[in-house]
Amino acid sequence: MSEPTETSDAPAVTDRRGAYVRRILADHAVHAAVVVAFALYPIVYTVLGQTPLGSEFEVFLPRVHAMVAVLYIGLFAMSFDFISGYTGYLSFGHALFYGSGAYLVVLTATDKVPLLGPDTPFMLLILVAGLVAVALALAVGAVSFRLSGVYFAMITLGFAEVAHVFIRNWDHVGSNPRDGASIGAAGDAFAVGVPGIDALQVGIGRLVGDEFGDVFGIGVEFGTAEVSYYAIGAVVLVCYLLMQRIIHSPFGRVMIAIRENEERARAVGYDVFRFKLAAFAISGFFAGVAGALFAGYRRTVAPGNTFDLFFTAEALLAAIVGGFGTLAGPLFGYLFNASVEGVLSTEPHGIARYLRDVLSESTLSAGAGGVTVADVINVLVDGRADLYLGIVFILFVLYVPRGILGTLRDRLGGHVADRLPERVRSRFRGRNE
């Protein structure tokens, strides 16, 4: 009698599973679309570059190697938002954790770290870099979380500046520690994937190979930047999903409760000090991972591009533009910043060089009051990214304080991933009716 019952129940089980899968896909349609868009970017960029408007696309679209930086710096900005956006504690010394992860990778590759040698798998180095950052975060947080507000921000900045001065004068780093450390041409490529299985590992770094061949037979060749982009992107995606899962857990709800009203969270029985310290450690872990990815790709580190205050300011600017307390917002915020910097750069692909090439000599020399078009380009366009990013920063603070993603959430009445599909479905239903 049991066999007919099992047979009759099989279609129902299959239907339930299908409905579950469809619901998961519907709930995460926006996330999937964003991942697909990032995945297709190198191919789309190359194809657009081969069109008659290729020069124009190269001016306004970030190059693939710039998008690699968007990924690992975006991860750092998201780790900054994890603590600052979800607990309300601004960590002005967050570069300390990023720099520690970066220096660990390079010093290990040059055989200057005890217990770890140059042959240590890069995936293990990423994990160790995150754990070192956790240890530092626990030490810094144990002192810093005795304070709040601007005092917390200043004391974290103080710890980062101490580390900055120390690393600039630490002879163990190299003969000239102020210039940092470099792996150079020596050593194998750092590989992202499954350690011990060569077929499941992908080398990253600017010194890895040349071309990896045609893709899908459409004339798109994958070089070092493209392969590094996908390998680093996979790590960043996993880190994002982990942070997202933590935020949507009971632990994450306590973080938000601390941000909204710390006294009330303490009054209902939460040990807010331990929750803040744990959140700080988790944030430090992902900042250390971001630093390790940076070092693995660039193969060189320096105090100025790791421990410097201005690097934390990059994360702060990205969070403000993208949206505090949105996690993904800082990634899009830094993508926006990098795009502006690319357009206004002094490199050959910048808009200033483009205008000088496409405009005629008569147009460039035209003007009034002794000021020519060429002068305007030189003074107001060429290399003025910092000027315009500063203006953008002011405008966002004044008129878009919730940032890009935060403003979208306000307009949609909830999380973009939840509300946007609902809006789209309702529009389609309205048209069909």
Side-chain angles (χ1 to χ4, degrees), residues 26-30 415-426:
D27 291 343
H28 297 279
V30 174
H415 291 284
V416 177
D418 297 331
R419 299 298 184 185
L420 187 59
E422 292 178 5
R423 289 287 185 92
V424 173
R425 285 194 293 267
S426 63

Side-chain angles (χ1 to χ4, degrees), residues 183-255:
I183 302 170
D188 296 328
F190 293 110
V192 171
V194 180
I197 304 178
D198 293 339
L200 297 179
Q201 295 191 71
V202 178
I204 67 170
R206 292 191 169 184
L207 302 180
V208 182
D210 291 318
E211 300 297 331
F212 288 75
D214 191 10
V215 179
F216 304 130
I218 59 176
V220 178
E221 292 187 340
F222 271 10
T224 301
E226 288 79 11
V227 173
S228 300
Y229 173 83
Y230 285 112
I232 292 174
V235 177
V236 171
L237 177 60
V238 170
C239 291
Y240 168 76
L241 294 175
L242 289 174
M243 284 190 282
Q244 191 73 262
R245 183 67 190 90
I246 294 171
I247 287 170
H248 288 89
S249 70
F251 179 87
R253 296 190 186 97
V254 177
M255 289 172 57

Side-chain angles (χ1 to χ4, degrees), residues 17-348:
R17 289 175 179 174
Y20 176 75
V21 171
R22 287 193 296 271
R23 186 171 68 253
I24 291 295
L25 293 176
D27 291 343
H28 297 279
V30 174
H31 294 127
V34 171
V35 172
V36 170
F38 271 91
L40 293 177
Y41 184 81
I43 298 175
V44 173
Y45 178 85
T46 303
V47 171
L48 292 177
Q50 297 171 353
T51 64
L53 296 177
S55 300
E56 287 74 14
F57 284 120
E58 289 180 357
V59 170
F60 293 101
L61 293 178
R63 296 195 166 190
V64 176
H65 71 80
M67 289 296 293
V68 177
V70 167
L71 291 174
Y72 58 71
I73 298 179
L75 175 59
F76 172 68
M78 286 190 288
S79 74
F80 173 84
D81 187 53
F82 185 88
I83 183 67
S84 299
Y86 286 91
T87 67
Y89 280 79
L90 287 174
S91 174
F92 279 1
H94 220 63
L96 167 62
F97 314 126
Y98 180 87
S100 64
Y103 266 85
L104 175 77
V105 169
V106 172
L107 293 179
T108 300
T110 53
D111 202 15
K112 293 182 179 179
V113 177
L115 304 179
L116 296 173
D119 297 331
T120 304
F122 183 57
M123 295 302 292
L124 177 59
L125 279 183
I126 290 177
L127 179 61
V128 174
L131 294 177
V132 168
V134 167
L136 288 172
L138 291 173
V140 171
V143 177
S144 303
F145 280 116
R146 306 295 177 181
L147 305 170
S148 61
V150 68
Y151 302 104
F152 173 84
M154 289 299 102
I155 197 171
T156 56
L157 173 60
F159 276 111
E161 284 302 300
V162 168
H164 189 191
V165 173
F166 173 76
I167 206 72
R168 288 181 61 193
N169 296 279
W170 191 26
D171 293 337
H172 185 69
V173 170
S175 57
N176 190 356
R178 290 175 180 266
D179 294 334
S182 176
I183 302 170
D188 296 328
F190 293 110
V192 171
V194 180
I197 304 178
D198 293 339
L200 297 179
Q201 295 191 71
V202 178
I204 67 170
R206 292 191 169 184
L207 302 180
V208 182
D210 291 318
E211 300 297 331
F212 288 75
D214 191 10
V215 179
F216 304 130
I218 59 176
V220 178
E221 292 187 340
F222 271 10
T224 301
E226 288 79 11
V227 173
S228 300
Y229 173 83
Y230 285 112
I232 292 174
V235 177
V236 171
L237 177 60
V238 170
C239 291
Y240 168 76
L241 294 175
L242 289 174
M243 284 190 282
Q244 191 73 262
R245 183 67 190 90
I246 294 171
I247 287 170
H248 288 89
S249 70
F251 179 87
R253 296 190 186 97
V254 177
M255 289 172 57
I256 296 173
I258 292 172
R259 180 190 66 190
E260 299 300 325
N261 193 323
E262 184 172 340
E263 293 301 323
R264 181 178 296 176
R266 184 181 289 108
V268 298
Y270 291 116
D271 188 340
V272 296
F273 178 81
R274 291 188 178 182
F275 274 97
K276 291 186 295 186
L277 192 59
F280 199 48
I282 294 170
S283 175
F285 175 85
F286 291 109
V289 170
L293 293 174
F294 158 74
Y297 178 66
R298 296 288 295 273
R299 302 175 66 91
T300 181
V301 293
N305 59 18
T306 50
F307 286 94
D308 198 90
L309 165 65
F310 291 103
F311 194 72
T312 300
E314 290 263 18
L316 176 62
L317 179 59
I320 289 175
V321 173
F324 258 115
T326 60
L327 193 61
L331 174 65
F332 299 118
Y334 188 76
L335 174 59
F336 176 85
N337 298 344
S339 300
V340 173
E341 289 178 351
V343 171
L344 299 176
S345 72
T346 57
E347 299 296 325

Side-chain angles (χ1 to χ4, degrees), residues 361-415:
E361 287 294 332
S362 60
T363 302
L364 291 172
S365 59
V371 179
T372 65
V373 173
D375 293 332
V376 173
I377 294 173
N378 293 335
V379 174
L380 297 180
V381 179
D382 197 4
R384 296 296 183 266
D386 291 340
L387 169 65
Y388 294 108
L389 284 175
I391 295 173
V392 168
F393 177 80
I394 294 171
L395 293 175
F396 266 85
V397 170
L398 292 176
Y399 301 108
V400 196
R402 294 273 294 156
I404 297 172
L405 200 54
T407 301
L408 282 175
R409 286 184 177 182
D410 291 343
R411 293 290 180 86
L412 295 173
H415 291 284

